[in-house]
């Protein structure tokens, strides 16, 4: 991380030195004569965010609630001869909490969702919650864009998963090139600051920041702090025209795993009324020794591999959008991708859950989205059935998740006029047990037979 800071600082010094040596240089067609004028022509951003979240577990199990609030500021310099730099930072406070640090007496479990609003590694930290986020230098020329430093990245698996107080941020080198209907990107990621934390980690160090489940033999995974990897290498291509869209990505976590993902969609109709069908799939297998030579310290076991396939059908009519979505993960092994790096974008997924850690899983979901006529409000409703493998053996169920049904509803509203820049969102989720037999409290707390509520207020300019 220090190398990134030194590199970008050196770039800024050289940029300023060159700028001052050319007192009549041009930025966006306008002459500048001083550093002050150069900085003033940059772009500042400011945002505040307040997030209230609660989880209501069944019967006698512990319930949790918390309110977080914070603000951030960012700056992007004007582009000069193709170069630009940017930075941002954010601070947070724990406004209120109920049982946030309490351990449930029946299960020895703590808060699952609410703690990720703050600092998971230091639950007692309620005030020192600040983070330097973006810090980068980039160059753009003729459709080519290269960025080095700390930045926001969005791909089908590695992404910001921005549904808490702050998103995932990544550090590394990213190159993109677009022409006509094609977009190519390649990157080497060597660091991450996951949501629910306030510091930066190397990629190998980050694996295990979130609860890390079990080995295939049922013993507790011990890969946290033991994985050896030079980072994550990603290459991807996207192509689209008026009817077709396709993406192909390859994720290579050095010495840990390979993951190949692709999707293909076809649309019939226009932008207002159309039918879309799509198929997506992935293939994953071990790389090197899976992260460590010892079996109980590996992230991925020797010979472990799997694949998955999903599909969807979408009908859009005016302001309505309905979809049916499916996903199947084969029982040859568990699908594994560090949760600290992002949330998989499988079409069948609903808010407040993911399918990572499972093999032999299938799910089907129905979703409905409605955009109101004034275009300031959006509503979403989804329901799903998720059938997992037996939760007791860990061979195909890393986190011991029973089968469940899932319902989620969301309303978001963006204000205009005098309140322009302010938005609010509410999300309500229910997850219920699908198994006919009784499931232990340890497997249900914060997972099944629960209500989860989220209320979010944002202000940006």
């Amino acid at each position: 991380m220090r190398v990134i800071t030194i590199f970008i600082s050196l770039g800024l010094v050289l940029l300023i030195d060159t700028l001052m040596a050319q007192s009549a240089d041009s930025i966006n067609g306008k002459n500048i004569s001083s550093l002050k004028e150069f900085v003033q022509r940059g772009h500042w951003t400011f945002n505040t965010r307040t997030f209230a979240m609660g989880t209501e577990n069944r019967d006698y199990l512990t319930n949790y609630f918390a309110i977080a609030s914070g603000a951030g500021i960012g700056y992007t310099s004007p582009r000069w001869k193709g170069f630009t730099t940017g930075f941002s930072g954010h601070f947070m406070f724990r406004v209120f909490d109920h049982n946030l640090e309490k351990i449930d007496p029946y299960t020895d479990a703590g808060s699952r969702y609410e703690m990720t609003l703050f600092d998971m590694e230091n639950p007692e930290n309620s005030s020192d919650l600040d983070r330097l986020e973006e810090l980068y230098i980039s160059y753009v020329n003729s459709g080519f864009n290269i960025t080095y430093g700390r930045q926001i990245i969005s791909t089908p698996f590695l992404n910001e998963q921005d549904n808490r107080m702050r998103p995932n941020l990544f550090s590394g080198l990213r190159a993109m090139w677009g022409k006509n209907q094609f977009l190519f990107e390649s990157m080497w990621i060597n660091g991450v600051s996951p949501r629910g934390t306030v510091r930066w980690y190397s990629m190998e160090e980050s694996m295990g920041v979130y609860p890390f489940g079990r080995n295939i033999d049922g013993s507790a995974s011990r890969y946290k702090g033991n994985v050896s990897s030079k980072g994550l290498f990603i290459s991807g291509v996207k192509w689209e025209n008026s009817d077709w869209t396709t993406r192909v990505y390859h994720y290579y976590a050095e010495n840990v795993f390979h993951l190949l993902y692709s999707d293909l969609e076809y649309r019939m109709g226009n932008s207002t009324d159309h039918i879309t069908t799509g198929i997506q799939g992935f293939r994953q297998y071990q790389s090197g020794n899976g992260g460590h030579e010892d079996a109980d310290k590996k992230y991925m076991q020797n010979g472990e591999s799997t694949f998955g396939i999903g599909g969807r059908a979408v009908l859009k009519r005016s302001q309505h959008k309905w979809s049916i979505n499916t996903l199947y993960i084969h029982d040859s092994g568990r699908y594994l991708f560090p949760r600290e790096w992002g949330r998989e974008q499988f079409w069948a997924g609903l808010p407040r859950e993911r399918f990572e850690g499972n093999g032999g899983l299938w799910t089907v979901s129905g979703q409905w989205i409605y955009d109101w006529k004034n275009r300031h409000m959006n509503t979403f409703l989804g329901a799903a059935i998720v059938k997992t493998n037996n939760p007791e053996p860990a061979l195909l169920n890393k986190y011991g998740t029973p089968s469940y049904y899932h319902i989620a509803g969301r309303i978001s509203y963006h204000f205009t006029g005098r309140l322009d820049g302010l938005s609010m969102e509410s999300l309500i989720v229910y997850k219920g047990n699908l198994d006919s037999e009784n499931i232990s409290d340890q497997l249900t707390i914060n997972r099944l037979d629960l209500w989860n509520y989220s209320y979010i207020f944002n202000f940006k300019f």
Side-chain angles (χ1 to χ4, degrees), residues 27-140:
I27 299 294
N28 296 328
K30 299 179 180 179
N31 291 335
I32 61 169
S33 58
S34 68
L35 174 61
K36 178 181 178 180
E37 190 174 352
F38 175 80
V39 173
Q40 287 176 337
R41 292 188 179 173
H43 178 65
W44 290 93
T45 60
F46 175 77
N47 68 86
T48 66
R49 186 173 176 88
T50 298
F51 202 129
M53 177 185 284
T55 300
E56 182 180 343
N57 285 296
R58 69 181 186 184
D59 301 332
Y60 45 82
L61 301 180
T62 304
N63 299 326
Y64 301 94
F65 180 77
I67 300 177
S69 189
I73 192 170
Y75 176 78
T76 304
S77 74
R79 194 166 298 280
W80 177 79
K81 296 187 183 300
F83 287 95
T84 188
T85 62
F87 67 86
S88 66
H90 200 93
F91 66 87
M92 297 171 288
F93 290 100
R94 187 186 301 181
V95 178
F96 176 80
D97 70 87
H98 174 67
N99 290 336
L100 192 64
E101 299 173 32
K102 180 179 179 180
I103 301 300
D104 180 73
Y106 300 97
T107 63
D108 291 329
S111 168
R112 175 186 179 187
Y113 296 109
E114 293 75 15
M115 186 54 70
T116 55
L117 295 175
F118 307 105
D119 184 1
M120 293 183 59
E121 287 209 314
N122 185 8
E124 297 180 357
N125 183 9
S126 60
S127 58
D128 186 18
L129 296 167
D130 53 90
R131 180 173 72 168
L132 175 63
E133 298 193 335
E134 295 173 282
L135 179 64
Y136 63 86
I137 184 168
S138 71
Y139 175 76
V140 177

Side-chain angles (χ1 to χ4, degrees), residues 270-336:
N270 54 49
S271 59
T272 303
D273 300 292
H274 61 255
I275 296 175
T276 302
T277 58
I279 185 171
Q280 62 180 178
F282 74 91
R283 174 81 168 90
Q284 185 180 33
Y285 55 94
Q286 184 192 49
S287 171
N289 59 26
H292 201 279
E293 294 181 354
D294 295 345
D296 60 345
K297 298 178 182 178
K298 295 178 183 290
Y299 181 79
M300 180 170 284
Q301 298 299 314
N302 291 339
E304 192 168 17
S305 67
T306 193
F307 66 91
I309 187 169
R312 72 172 171 181
V314 182
L315 173 63
K316 188 177 187 305
R317 286 288 183 268
S318 185
Q319 296 150 261
H320 295 271
K321 184 177 180 180
W322 296 273
S323 67
I324 296 294
N325 314 271
T326 63
L327 175 69
Y328 171 70
I329 301 176
H330 195 256
D331 60 6
S332 56
R334 304 173 299 178
Y335 147 62
L336 301 172

Side-chain angles (χ1 to χ4, degrees), residues 25 74 127 134 171 197 213 224 269 277 329 335 355 397 420:
D25 212 338
S127 58
E134 295 173 282
S171 67
T197 66
K224 182 178 182 180
T277 58
I329 301 176
Y335 147 62
F355 306 124
N397 200 326
D420 186 31

